[in-house]
Amino acid sequence: MLAEYRGKGLATACLKYAGELAVKAGCYNIALMTSSKNESTLKFYENAGYKRGEKTAFIRWL
């Protein structure tokens, strides 16, 4: 099911819109977290302007 939506620019449009909303709200950055180890997914985020390894996140599962 998801494959039919891939490559249509929908995720890119969502990330771009999130950035526009953040700018309008006066934010100075956006943090994106993923548990994906898939290199193509990580490259997608990098191509969208996100930097790998800029911050360290700690998660405590409850």
Tab-separated table of all heavy atoms in Angstrom:
chain	number	residue	atom	x	y	z
A	1	MET	N	0.817	-1.198	0.000
A	1	MET	CA	0.000	0.000	0.000
A	1	MET	C	0.859	1.260	0.000
A	1	MET	O	0.618	2.164	-0.781
A	1	MET	CB	-0.936	-0.017	1.202
A	1	MET	CG	-1.769	1.223	1.308
A	1	MET	SD	-2.926	1.107	2.667
A	1	MET	CE	-3.498	2.748	2.709
A	2	LEU	N	1.852	1.346	0.847
A	2	LEU	CA	2.667	2.557	0.916
A	2	LEU	C	3.466	2.787	-0.353
A	2	LEU	O	3.734	3.925	-0.704
A	2	LEU	CB	3.596	2.506	2.123
A	2	LEU	CG	2.920	2.574	3.491
A	2	LEU	CD1	3.949	2.463	4.600
A	2	LEU	CD2	2.111	3.835	3.652
A	3	ALA	N	3.847	1.716	-1.022
A	3	ALA	CA	4.672	1.840	-2.224
A	3	ALA	C	4.001	2.695	-3.288
A	3	ALA	O	4.680	3.388	-4.054
A	3	ALA	CB	4.999	0.458	-2.772
A	4	GLU	N	2.685	2.684	-3.352
A	4	GLU	CA	1.982	3.465	-4.376
A	4	GLU	C	2.132	4.974	-4.155
A	4	GLU	O	1.907	5.763	-5.072
A	4	GLU	CB	0.510	3.082	-4.438
A	4	GLU	CG	-0.277	3.429	-3.178
A	4	GLU	CD	-1.660	2.816	-3.170
A	4	GLU	OE1	-1.788	1.662	-2.726
A	4	GLU	OE2	-2.602	3.510	-3.609
A	5	TYR	N	2.515	5.386	-2.954
A	5	TYR	CA	2.689	6.805	-2.640
A	5	TYR	C	4.142	7.253	-2.748
A	5	TYR	O	4.411	8.459	-2.729
A	5	TYR	CB	2.167	7.104	-1.236
A	5	TYR	CG	0.687	6.841	-1.109
A	5	TYR	CD1	0.219	5.714	-0.461
A	5	TYR	CD2	-0.244	7.719	-1.658
A	5	TYR	CE1	-1.143	5.465	-0.343
A	5	TYR	CE2	-1.601	7.488	-1.551
A	5	TYR	CZ	-2.050	6.356	-0.899
A	5	TYR	OH	-3.380	6.115	-0.804
A	6	ARG	N	5.066	6.319	-2.838
A	6	ARG	CA	6.493	6.670	-2.887
A	6	ARG	C	6.839	7.371	-4.192
A	6	ARG	O	6.289	7.079	-5.240
A	6	ARG	CB	7.344	5.411	-2.727
A	6	ARG	CG	7.300	4.905	-1.324
A	6	ARG	CD	8.550	4.128	-0.956
A	6	ARG	NE	8.553	3.926	0.467
A	6	ARG	CZ	8.474	2.735	1.048
A	6	ARG	NH1	8.419	1.655	0.325
A	6	ARG	NH2	8.490	2.646	2.355
A	7	GLY	N	7.764	8.299	-4.078
A	7	GLY	CA	8.266	8.987	-5.252
A	7	GLY	C	7.363	10.084	-5.781
A	7	GLY	O	7.602	10.611	-6.862
A	8	LYS	N	6.343	10.432	-5.063
A	8	LYS	CA	5.414	11.468	-5.504
A	8	LYS	C	5.687	12.818	-4.834
A	8	LYS	O	4.991	13.783	-5.087
A	8	LYS	CB	3.980	11.036	-5.237
A	8	LYS	CG	3.596	9.778	-6.010
A	8	LYS	CD	2.136	9.490	-5.905
A	8	LYS	CE	1.733	8.205	-6.579
A	8	LYS	NZ	2.069	8.086	-7.973
A	9	GLY	N	6.680	12.865	-3.950
A	9	GLY	CA	7.048	14.119	-3.304
A	9	GLY	C	6.197	14.477	-2.095
A	9	GLY	O	6.300	15.588	-1.576
A	10	LEU	N	5.371	13.556	-1.647
A	10	LEU	CA	4.479	13.860	-0.523
A	10	LEU	C	5.244	14.083	0.778
A	10	LEU	O	4.967	15.052	1.503
A	10	LEU	CB	3.454	12.736	-0.349
A	10	LEU	CG	2.531	12.501	-1.552
A	10	LEU	CD1	1.677	11.262	-1.340
A	10	LEU	CD2	1.678	13.718	-1.805
A	11	ALA	N	6.191	13.211	1.092
A	11	ALA	CA	6.965	13.358	2.333
A	11	ALA	C	7.820	14.623	2.283
A	11	ALA	O	7.923	15.346	3.274
A	11	ALA	CB	7.833	12.126	2.573
A	12	THR	N	8.390	14.891	1.126
A	12	THR	CA	9.188	16.101	0.966
A	12	THR	C	8.320	17.340	1.184
A	12	THR	O	8.730	18.290	1.862
A	12	THR	CB	9.831	16.142	-0.431
A	12	THR	OG1	10.679	14.992	-0.572
A	12	THR	CG2	10.648	17.398	-0.652
A	13	ALA	N	7.113	17.322	0.646
A	13	ALA	CA	6.196	18.442	0.826
A	13	ALA	C	5.822	18.618	2.295
A	13	ALA	O	5.736	19.751	2.786
A	13	ALA	CB	4.942	18.246	-0.019
A	14	CYS	N	5.617	17.519	3.000
A	14	CYS	CA	5.287	17.596	4.430
A	14	CYS	C	6.434	18.193	5.224
A	14	CYS	O	6.209	19.045	6.097
A	14	CYS	CB	4.938	16.209	4.972
A	14	CYS	SG	3.343	15.598	4.421
A	15	LEU	N	7.662	17.760	4.945
A	15	LEU	CA	8.826	18.296	5.653
A	15	LEU	C	8.999	19.785	5.347
A	15	LEU	O	9.319	20.583	6.235
A	15	LEU	CB	10.084	17.523	5.293
A	15	LEU	CG	10.158	16.089	5.804
A	15	LEU	CD1	11.408	15.400	5.277
A	15	LEU	CD2	10.112	16.039	7.323
A	16	LYS	N	8.783	20.155	4.099
A	16	LYS	CA	8.897	21.570	3.715
A	16	LYS	C	7.840	22.400	4.443
A	16	LYS	O	8.136	23.476	4.968
A	16	LYS	CB	8.738	21.711	2.203
A	16	LYS	CG	8.875	23.128	1.720
A	16	LYS	CD	8.726	23.238	0.209
A	16	LYS	CE	8.817	24.701	-0.193
A	16	LYS	NZ	8.484	24.924	-1.575
A	17	TYR	N	6.629	21.901	4.486
A	17	TYR	CA	5.551	22.620	5.163
A	17	TYR	C	5.830	22.753	6.660
A	17	TYR	O	5.603	23.813	7.244
A	17	TYR	CB	4.213	21.921	4.915
A	17	TYR	CG	3.030	22.653	5.496
A	17	TYR	CD1	2.724	23.949	5.084
A	17	TYR	CD2	2.226	22.059	6.441
A	17	TYR	CE1	1.639	24.627	5.611
A	17	TYR	CE2	1.131	22.729	6.974
A	17	TYR	CZ	0.842	24.015	6.556
A	17	TYR	OH	-0.227	24.684	7.088
A	18	ALA	N	6.350	21.691	7.261
A	18	ALA	CA	6.712	21.761	8.683
A	18	ALA	C	7.748	22.856	8.909
A	18	ALA	O	7.677	23.599	9.896
A	18	ALA	CB	7.241	20.415	9.157
A	19	GLY	N	8.701	22.968	8.000
A	19	GLY	CA	9.705	24.023	8.103
A	19	GLY	C	9.096	25.406	7.987
A	19	GLY	O	9.459	26.322	8.724
A	20	GLU	N	8.155	25.560	7.068
A	20	GLU	CA	7.483	26.850	6.910
A	20	GLU	C	6.695	27.228	8.169
A	20	GLU	O	6.734	28.377	8.609
A	20	GLU	CB	6.549	26.798	5.703
A	20	GLU	CG	7.286	26.700	4.377
A	20	GLU	CD	6.382	26.369	3.200
A	20	GLU	OE1	5.152	26.245	3.391
A	20	GLU	OE2	6.919	26.235	2.090
A	21	LEU	N	6.013	26.254	8.746
A	21	LEU	CA	5.273	26.508	9.984
A	21	LEU	C	6.218	26.882	11.121
A	21	LEU	O	5.917	27.783	11.913
A	21	LEU	CB	4.459	25.274	10.387
A	21	LEU	CG	3.259	24.926	9.514
A	21	LEU	CD1	2.636	23.615	9.986
A	21	LEU	CD2	2.242	26.046	9.523
A	22	ALA	N	7.354	26.196	11.191
A	22	ALA	CA	8.329	26.483	12.249
A	22	ALA	C	8.872	27.900	12.122
A	22	ALA	O	9.001	28.616	13.116
A	22	ALA	CB	9.466	25.467	12.210
A	23	VAL	N	9.186	28.309	10.907
A	23	VAL	CA	9.681	29.671	10.686
A	23	VAL	C	8.626	30.684	11.102
A	23	VAL	O	8.919	31.659	11.807
A	23	VAL	CB	10.095	29.873	9.209
A	23	VAL	CG1	10.333	31.337	8.896
A	23	VAL	CG2	11.338	29.051	8.890
A	24	LYS	N	7.383	30.470	10.688
A	24	LYS	CA	6.298	31.403	11.055
A	24	LYS	C	6.088	31.475	12.563
A	24	LYS	O	5.697	32.508	13.090
A	24	LYS	CB	4.998	30.975	10.384
A	24	LYS	CG	4.964	31.270	8.911
A	24	LYS	CD	3.652	30.817	8.298
A	24	LYS	CE	3.673	31.050	6.799
A	24	LYS	NZ	2.460	30.545	6.139
A	25	ALA	N	6.374	30.365	13.255
A	25	ALA	CA	6.205	30.326	14.707
A	25	ALA	C	7.424	30.875	15.445
A	25	ALA	O	7.426	30.952	16.672
A	25	ALA	CB	5.923	28.895	15.162
A	26	GLY	N	8.465	31.253	14.708
A	26	GLY	CA	9.658	31.813	15.328
A	26	GLY	C	10.644	30.782	15.845
A	26	GLY	O	11.534	31.117	16.626
A	27	CYS	N	10.501	29.551	15.403
A	27	CYS	CA	11.435	28.497	15.834
A	27	CYS	C	12.782	28.699	15.149
A	27	CYS	O	12.862	29.245	14.054
A	27	CYS	CB	10.884	27.117	15.473
A	27	CYS	SG	9.327	26.736	16.299
A	28	TYR	N	13.840	28.223	15.788
A	28	TYR	CA	15.165	28.352	15.192
A	28	TYR	C	15.710	27.024	14.687
A	28	TYR	O	16.750	26.981	14.037
A	28	TYR	CB	16.153	28.998	16.170
A	28	TYR	CG	16.445	28.168	17.398
A	28	TYR	CD1	17.515	27.284	17.419
A	28	TYR	CD2	15.643	28.268	18.528
A	28	TYR	CE1	17.777	26.519	18.539
A	28	TYR	CE2	15.902	27.514	19.646
A	28	TYR	CZ	16.970	26.634	19.645
A	28	TYR	OH	17.230	25.878	20.751
A	29	ASN	N	15.026	25.922	14.974
A	29	ASN	CA	15.440	24.645	14.413
A	29	ASN	C	14.291	23.637	14.467
A	29	ASN	O	13.269	23.883	15.081
A	29	ASN	CB	16.690	24.072	15.099
A	29	ASN	CG	16.438	23.592	16.515
A	29	ASN	OD1	15.312	23.475	16.980
A	29	ASN	ND2	17.502	23.309	17.227
A	30	ILE	N	14.480	22.552	13.762
A	30	ILE	CA	13.546	21.431	13.789
A	30	ILE	C	14.373	20.190	14.087
A	30	ILE	O	15.424	19.988	13.483
A	30	ILE	CB	12.840	21.231	12.438
A	30	ILE	CG1	12.008	22.442	12.078
A	30	ILE	CG2	11.985	19.976	12.450
A	30	ILE	CD1	11.393	22.363	10.689
A	31	ALA	N	13.910	19.391	15.027
A	31	ALA	CA	14.583	18.125	15.337
A	31	ALA	C	13.767	16.984	14.738
A	31	ALA	O	12.551	16.940	14.892
A	31	ALA	CB	14.714	17.933	16.839
A	32	LEU	N	14.420	16.105	14.020
A	32	LEU	CA	13.776	14.954	13.435
A	32	LEU	C	14.455	13.718	13.990
A	32	LEU	O	15.675	13.600	13.920
A	32	LEU	CB	13.923	15.000	11.918
A	32	LEU	CG	13.192	13.939	11.121
A	32	LEU	CD1	12.825	14.495	9.748
A	32	LEU	CD2	13.957	12.665	10.984
A	33	MET	N	13.689	12.826	14.561
A	33	MET	CA	14.246	11.594	15.114
A	33	MET	C	13.673	10.405	14.358
A	33	MET	O	12.494	10.387	14.007
A	33	MET	CB	13.903	11.461	16.593
A	33	MET	CG	14.582	12.502	17.447
A	33	MET	SD	14.102	12.428	19.180
A	33	MET	CE	14.531	10.759	19.598
A	34	THR	N	14.511	9.422	14.083
A	34	THR	CA	14.075	8.201	13.432
A	34	THR	C	14.830	7.025	14.040
A	34	THR	O	15.963	7.171	14.483
A	34	THR	CB	14.309	8.248	11.911
A	34	THR	OG1	13.844	7.026	11.330
A	34	THR	CG2	15.778	8.427	11.557
A	35	SER	N	14.189	5.891	14.049
A	35	SER	CA	14.880	4.675	14.481
A	35	SER	C	15.347	3.873	13.269
A	35	SER	O	15.940	2.805	13.418
A	35	SER	CB	13.966	3.812	15.359
A	35	SER	OG	12.805	3.442	14.639
A	36	SER	N	15.119	4.416	12.092
A	36	SER	CA	15.489	3.722	10.863
A	36	SER	C	17.004	3.611	10.736
A	36	SER	O	17.731	4.563	11.017
A	36	SER	CB	14.932	4.456	9.645
A	36	SER	OG	15.346	3.817	8.450
A	37	LYS	N	17.451	2.480	10.294
A	37	LYS	CA	18.864	2.275	9.961
A	37	LYS	C	19.027	2.164	8.450
A	37	LYS	O	20.126	1.966	7.941
A	37	LYS	CB	19.390	0.992	10.630
A	37	LYS	CG	19.214	0.954	12.138
A	37	LYS	CD	20.094	1.961	12.833
A	37	LYS	CE	20.016	1.788	14.330
A	37	LYS	NZ	19.610	2.952	15.039
A	38	ASN	N	17.916	2.299	7.734
A	38	ASN	CA	17.900	2.187	6.281
A	38	ASN	C	18.626	3.387	5.682
A	38	ASN	O	18.193	4.533	5.853
A	38	ASN	CB	16.447	2.121	5.802
A	38	ASN	CG	16.332	1.873	4.322
A	38	ASN	OD1	17.072	2.426	3.532
A	38	ASN	ND2	15.386	1.027	3.958
A	39	GLU	N	19.703	3.137	4.982
A	39	GLU	CA	20.531	4.221	4.462
A	39	GLU	C	19.755	5.117	3.499
A	39	GLU	O	19.946	6.336	3.496
A	39	GLU	CB	21.783	3.665	3.778
A	39	GLU	CG	22.806	4.703	3.419
A	39	GLU	CD	23.355	5.505	4.601
A	39	GLU	OE1	23.417	4.989	5.733
A	39	GLU	OE2	23.722	6.685	4.383
A	40	SER	N	18.849	4.545	2.712
A	40	SER	CA	18.089	5.384	1.789
A	40	SER	C	17.151	6.326	2.540
A	40	SER	O	16.932	7.467	2.118
A	40	SER	CB	17.310	4.538	0.778
A	40	SER	OG	16.322	3.767	1.419
A	41	THR	N	16.622	5.882	3.663
A	41	THR	CA	15.780	6.743	4.488
A	41	THR	C	16.608	7.874	5.081
A	41	THR	O	16.205	9.044	5.064
A	41	THR	CB	15.112	5.932	5.620
A	41	THR	OG1	14.313	4.908	5.038
A	41	THR	CG2	14.267	6.813	6.511
A	42	LEU	N	17.785	7.535	5.598
A	42	LEU	CA	18.657	8.552	6.189
A	42	LEU	C	19.114	9.558	5.148
A	42	LEU	O	19.173	10.768	5.414
A	42	LEU	CB	19.842	7.877	6.876
A	42	LEU	CG	19.475	6.854	7.967
A	42	LEU	CD1	20.723	6.208	8.527
A	42	LEU	CD2	18.624	7.469	9.052
A	43	LYS	N	19.406	9.091	3.946
A	43	LYS	CA	19.798	9.988	2.858
A	43	LYS	C	18.646	10.906	2.467
A	43	LYS	O	18.853	12.070	2.136
A	43	LYS	CB	20.265	9.191	1.635
A	43	LYS	CG	21.628	8.595	1.780
A	43	LYS	CD	22.673	9.674	1.709
A	43	LYS	CE	24.049	9.072	1.727
A	43	LYS	NZ	25.072	10.106	1.861
A	44	PHE	N	17.425	10.371	2.509
A	44	PHE	CA	16.249	11.195	2.216
A	44	PHE	C	16.193	12.386	3.161
A	44	PHE	O	15.995	13.531	2.732
A	44	PHE	CB	14.969	10.367	2.312
A	44	PHE	CG	13.729	11.208	2.326
A	44	PHE	CD1	13.239	11.757	1.154
A	44	PHE	CD2	13.072	11.478	3.514
A	44	PHE	CE1	12.100	12.561	1.169
A	44	PHE	CE2	11.937	12.266	3.535
A	44	PHE	CZ	11.452	12.806	2.356
A	45	TYR	N	16.368	12.124	4.461
A	45	TYR	CA	16.332	13.212	5.439
A	45	TYR	C	17.476	14.186	5.218
A	45	TYR	O	17.298	15.403	5.331
A	45	TYR	CB	16.364	12.660	6.865
A	45	TYR	CG	15.128	11.895	7.240
A	45	TYR	CD1	15.211	10.670	7.877
A	45	TYR	CD2	13.858	12.385	6.962
A	45	TYR	CE1	14.071	9.951	8.229
A	45	TYR	CE2	12.714	11.676	7.296
A	45	TYR	CZ	12.828	10.476	7.932
A	45	TYR	OH	11.708	9.774	8.268
A	46	GLU	N	18.659	13.676	4.902
A	46	GLU	CA	19.785	14.567	4.623
A	46	GLU	C	19.496	15.430	3.398
A	46	GLU	O	19.775	16.635	3.408
A	46	GLU	CB	21.064	13.759	4.414
A	46	GLU	CG	21.615	13.192	5.694
A	46	GLU	CD	22.881	12.387	5.496
A	46	GLU	OE1	23.004	11.662	4.486
A	46	GLU	OE2	23.757	12.482	6.373
A	47	ASN	N	18.930	14.834	2.369
A	47	ASN	CA	18.596	15.596	1.160
A	47	ASN	C	17.524	16.643	1.429
A	47	ASN	O	17.434	17.634	0.703
A	47	ASN	CB	18.151	14.661	0.038
A	47	ASN	CG	19.297	13.839	-0.514
A	47	ASN	OD1	20.452	14.207	-0.405
A	47	ASN	ND2	18.974	12.701	-1.104
A	48	ALA	N	16.731	16.422	2.470
A	48	ALA	CA	15.704	17.392	2.862
A	48	ALA	C	16.287	18.497	3.736
A	48	ALA	O	15.561	19.386	4.178
A	48	ALA	CB	14.567	16.678	3.591
A	49	GLY	N	17.597	18.443	4.022
A	49	GLY	CA	18.252	19.515	4.768
A	49	GLY	C	18.576	19.200	6.214
A	49	GLY	O	19.100	20.047	6.928
A	50	TYR	N	18.274	17.993	6.657
A	50	TYR	CA	18.553	17.606	8.040
A	50	TYR	C	19.976	17.063	8.135
A	50	TYR	O	20.456	16.396	7.227
A	50	TYR	CB	17.539	16.558	8.522
A	50	TYR	CG	16.148	17.136	8.659
A	50	TYR	CD1	15.323	17.279	7.546
A	50	TYR	CD2	15.678	17.583	9.881
A	50	TYR	CE1	14.060	17.837	7.658
A	50	TYR	CE2	14.416	18.142	10.007
A	50	TYR	CZ	13.615	18.266	8.887
A	50	TYR	OH	12.375	18.819	9.007
A	51	LYS	N	20.641	17.381	9.231
A	51	LYS	CA	22.036	16.978	9.443
A	51	LYS	C	22.103	15.754	10.344
A	51	LYS	O	21.514	15.731	11.416
A	51	LYS	CB	22.840	18.109	10.093
A	51	LYS	CG	22.773	19.411	9.342
A	51	LYS	CD	23.636	19.373	8.119
A	51	LYS	CE	23.676	20.731	7.470
A	51	LYS	NZ	23.242	20.750	6.116
A	52	ARG	N	22.837	14.780	9.911
A	52	ARG	CA	23.039	13.558	10.698
A	52	ARG	C	24.097	13.810	11.759
A	52	ARG	O	25.121	14.419	11.501
A	52	ARG	CB	23.504	12.437	9.768
A	52	ARG	CG	23.347	11.071	10.354
A	52	ARG	CD	23.907	9.956	9.500
A	52	ARG	NE	23.448	9.924	8.116
A	52	ARG	CZ	23.493	8.846	7.360
A	52	ARG	NH1	23.962	7.720	7.845
A	52	ARG	NH2	23.104	8.882	6.121
A	53	GLY	N	23.821	13.376	12.979
A	53	GLY	CA	24.827	13.443	14.032
A	53	GLY	C	24.997	14.800	14.694
A	53	GLY	O	25.934	14.989	15.458
A	54	GLU	N	24.120	15.734	14.424
A	54	GLU	CA	24.241	17.062	15.029
A	54	GLU	C	23.926	17.059	16.522
A	54	GLU	O	24.485	17.813	17.276
A	54	GLU	CB	23.304	18.054	14.335
A	54	GLU	CG	23.738	18.441	12.944
A	54	GLU	CD	24.926	19.387	12.944
A	54	GLU	OE1	24.925	20.346	13.731
A	54	GLU	OE2	25.846	19.152	12.164
A	55	LYS	N	22.995	16.229	16.925
A	55	LYS	CA	22.554	16.175	18.324
A	55	LYS	C	22.501	14.723	18.777
A	55	LYS	O	22.479	13.812	17.978
A	55	LYS	CB	21.156	16.782	18.484
A	55	LYS	CG	21.031	18.224	18.071
A	55	LYS	CD	21.630	19.123	19.105
A	55	LYS	CE	21.468	20.588	18.703
A	55	LYS	NZ	22.068	21.480	19.628
A	56	THR	N	22.448	14.542	20.059
A	56	THR	CA	22.273	13.214	20.642
A	56	THR	C	20.938	13.189	21.355
A	56	THR	O	20.629	14.092	22.126
A	56	THR	CB	23.405	12.896	21.648
A	56	THR	OG1	24.653	12.995	20.964
A	56	THR	CG2	23.241	11.515	22.247
A	57	ALA	N	20.161	12.163	21.084
A	57	ALA	CA	18.862	12.034	21.736
A	57	ALA	C	18.917	10.856	22.725
A	57	ALA	O	19.526	9.839	22.443
A	57	ALA	CB	17.766	11.787	20.710
A	58	PHE	N	18.281	11.041	23.842
A	58	PHE	CA	18.153	9.974	24.826
A	58	PHE	C	16.671	9.707	25.008
A	58	PHE	O	15.878	10.621	25.189
A	58	PHE	CB	18.769	10.386	26.166
A	58	PHE	CG	20.258	10.543	26.097
A	58	PHE	CD1	20.802	11.756	25.733
A	58	PHE	CD2	21.103	9.480	26.394
A	58	PHE	CE1	22.178	11.935	25.664
A	58	PHE	CE2	22.467	9.642	26.317
A	58	PHE	CZ	23.007	10.857	25.958
A	59	ILE	N	16.303	8.447	24.958
A	59	ILE	CA	14.909	8.058	25.102
A	59	ILE	C	14.773	7.076	26.246
A	59	ILE	O	15.563	6.140	26.376
A	59	ILE	CB	14.385	7.416	23.794
A	59	ILE	CG1	14.504	8.413	22.641
A	59	ILE	CG2	12.949	6.940	23.964
A	59	ILE	CD1	14.218	7.807	21.300
A	60	ARG	N	13.793	7.311	27.060
A	60	ARG	CA	13.487	6.375	28.145
A	60	ARG	C	12.106	5.794	27.873
A	60	ARG	O	11.105	6.498	27.904
A	60	ARG	CB	13.483	7.085	29.501
A	60	ARG	CG	13.171	6.174	30.636
A	60	ARG	CD	13.246	6.927	31.956
A	60	ARG	NE	12.805	6.047	33.025
A	60	ARG	CZ	11.953	6.394	33.957
A	60	ARG	NH1	11.459	7.617	33.980
A	60	ARG	NH2	11.588	5.534	34.875
A	61	TRP	N	12.068	4.525	27.527
A	61	TRP	CA	10.809	3.846	27.260
A	61	TRP	C	10.151	3.480	28.579
A	61	TRP	O	10.787	3.005	29.488
A	61	TRP	CB	11.035	2.587	26.411
A	61	TRP	CG	11.648	2.909	25.080
A	61	TRP	CD1	12.941	2.702	24.721
A	61	TRP	CD2	11.016	3.510	23.959
A	61	TRP	NE1	13.159	3.139	23.439
A	61	TRP	CE2	11.969	3.640	22.944
A	61	TRP	CE3	9.718	3.949	23.712
A	61	TRP	CZ2	11.683	4.190	21.698
A	61	TRP	CZ3	9.442	4.504	22.465
A	61	TRP	CH2	10.408	4.602	21.482
A	62	LEU	N	8.875	3.694	28.677
A	62	LEU	CA	8.131	3.415	29.900
A	62	LEU	C	7.217	2.230	29.729
A	62	LEU	O	6.807	1.867	28.710
A	62	LEU	CB	7.304	4.638	30.316
A	62	LEU	CG	8.132	5.908	30.521
A	62	LEU	CD1	7.202	7.080	30.804
A	62	LEU	CD2	9.118	5.717	31.659
